Amino acid sequence: MNVTQQEIKEQAEIALSLRALFAGKKGMVRTFGCQQNEADGERILGELADCGLTPTEELSEADVVILNTCAIREHAEQRVLGIIGSMKKEKEKRPDMLIGMCGCMAQERHRQDLLMQSYPFVDFLFGTDRHHRVPEILREALRSRKQRQFVTDLPHNEFGVISEGTPVYRDSDYKAKVSVMYGCNNFCSYCIVPYVRGHERSRASAQVLEEVGSLVQAGYKDIMLLGQNVNSYRGDVDFPTLLEKCASFEGDYWVRFMTSHPKDASPALVRVMAEQPKVAKHFHLPFQSGNDRILSAMNRKYNREQYLEKALAIKEQVKDVSLTSDVIVGFPTETEKEFLDTVELVKQVGFDMLYTFIYSPRKGTVAEKMEGRIPHEEQVRRFSYLSDVQNEIAQKNNDAFLGKVLTVLSEGVNEKGIPTGRSSGNKIVTFDAPVLQGTFCKVKIDTARQYALSGIVKD
Ligand code: 5AD
Ligand code: SF4
């Protein structure tokens, strides 16, 4: 399960041996989906760079392109398929380029052969347990020049690795993502993740702390601890302890975490957030449905009452907290009344932001075989009804910030040239005067919109 340092060393040696071959060439990773995938993408790009490829974001100049795919909903898969299709022309123009696929879609068993057959110009595909072996994969792809698959034979509840010490090419010099655990054992009935990311496994706390400590020392200001169920972290310490330690380095920075499962959102975790000044005041706690029958059909392992209790405790105990969530509408057999339970819960909690998803059947999951699919038009109606309710709540929550002074981490300027940044609660805050990207400033809020605040920089 733990990749040995010997294996990591072997990969580094292969990378070294490829450098002359890739001299002057460029590599690109195109990532789809969640932050976990983004973190993987930064590691894969790090390995490409180690092999001598200069990182690029321009497809037209990339000699090696890796599509790091997402499978969470059908829409995500369609986007990936559209992009792969469009790469055919690029390959025709430059037959020497290498195209690879990885990520959750590439790990779906039923897709692997099909992808290779449908896209003969894709050179290789590798699974989510092979991220640390990119140098070897490139070498093999170059040698054979015929399509190759690098995937596991193990069943989903047995595969999955932890690899320490692979190179990483971070896409920001002030915000960083640090994976602390991988995989998922929960098997929510709608979700593909446990099948494509393997079983749950946690990094040793010493390794996490070493990474976080060196990021703080390098000047990173916003460090996100990542995991499919980050608060289910079971290393040599529990998650609240790990978080507290991550927030105890010398220096001015925030540490945040994503995504939490309600079953493991303990009072200890809420206390650490409330008491530790360096823990960002943002709790993302997906609830998925406000109805007990649907929660049980989703295999979520908590009921409405238990969720409410936790959500309200967070709001009560953590000053100025942003509470955000994920919800699925139109799950098979969801009645109008059950949907209205979800609406009611949204009103009761008063989320700052809600990511609302239309249920999308995923092959191989339990829900995919359920009867009682909700027609798409009805799913869309529920989606927009809930969005309207949430928009009003978000506006009301943000109005409460008028006149307050918030600490904001500057992100430079947005696409309209307006100075912008994020608050501790991860809210977008725009302001009147430019502030160096990656530094903190104080902003007095004078305008509140649904999903953004703006104000005047105070010195
Ligand atoms: N259909 C719709 N939404 C889904 N999610 C996960 N699987 C599905 C699916 N099959 C949502 C959940 C999860 C978020 C990352 O994506 O709300 O929290
Ligand atoms: Fe999917 Fe549920 Fe695991 Fe989240 S907890 S990744 S929704 S199975």
Side-chain angles (χ1 to χ4, degrees), residues 142-267:
L142 283 169
R143 275 186 185 162
S144 72
R145 273 298 184 179
K146 64 177 204 280
Q147 280 191 315
R148 295 287 304 270
Q149 290 189 34
F150 304 88
V151 294
T152 180
D153 290 330
L154 291 171
H156 58 76
N157 54 349
E158 282 178 33
F159 86 85
V161 298
I162 296 180
S163 56
E164 298 288 353
T166 52
V168 42
Y169 191 93
R170 299 193 186 273
D171 67 7
S172 161
D173 59 5
Y174 65 97
K175 276 182 165 196
K177 296 173 271 284
V178 175
S179 299
V180 305
M181 57 81 69
Y182 308 91
C184 180
N185 288 349
N186 290 320
F187 295 94
C188 299
S189 61
Y190 49 80
C191 189
I192 192 73
V193 167
Y195 303 92
V196 292
R197 288 272 177 185
H199 63 91
E200 249 173 55
R201 58 228 184 253
S202 298
R203 291 175 70 192
S205 67
Q207 305 276 11
V208 174
L209 289 169
E210 194 186 303
E211 188 171 346
V212 171
S214 55
L215 286 165
V216 172
Q217 234 176 20
Y220 279 83
K221 301 293 177 212
D222 189 296
I223 295 166
M224 186 185 276
L225 307 183
L226 279 179
Q228 248 83 37
N229 297 287
V230 71
N231 60 335
S232 312
Y233 173 85
R234 299 268 182 282
D236 42 319
V237 297
D238 63 8
F239 187 66
T241 310
L242 181 74
L243 181 64
E244 189 166 18
K245 289 185 176 193
C246 287
S248 302
F249 292 98
E250 220 24 61
D252 213 8
Y253 67 97
W254 285 331
V255 56
R256 49 181 84 246
F257 54 96
M258 187 90 122
T259 283
S260 295
H261 194 293
K263 79 177 166 56
D264 293 315
S266 62

Side-chain angles (χ1 to χ4, degrees), residues 34 71-74 189-193 259 284 286-288 300 325-329 355-362 365 367:
C34 65
I72 195 85
R73 284 172 290 276
E74 195 187 335
S189 61
Y190 49 80
C191 189
I192 192 73
V193 167
T259 283
H284 184 66
F287 73 99
Q288 314 296 4
R300 285 294 287 179
S325 197
D326 293 345
V327 59
I328 296 176
V329 296
Y355 297 88
T356 305
F357 302 108
I358 287 177
Y359 168 72
S360 168
R362 304 284 69 209
T365 61

Side-chain angles (χ1 to χ4, degrees), residues 2-14 132-133 136 162-166:
N2 275 315
V3 175
T4 63
Q5 283 312 300
Q6 179 58 29
E7 284 175 83
I8 299 288
K9 207 170 129 226
E10 278 164 21
Q11 294 301 318
E13 280 161 10
I14 300 174
H132 58 289
R133 285 165 70 169
E136 180 189 347
I162 296 180
S163 56
E164 298 288 353
T166 52

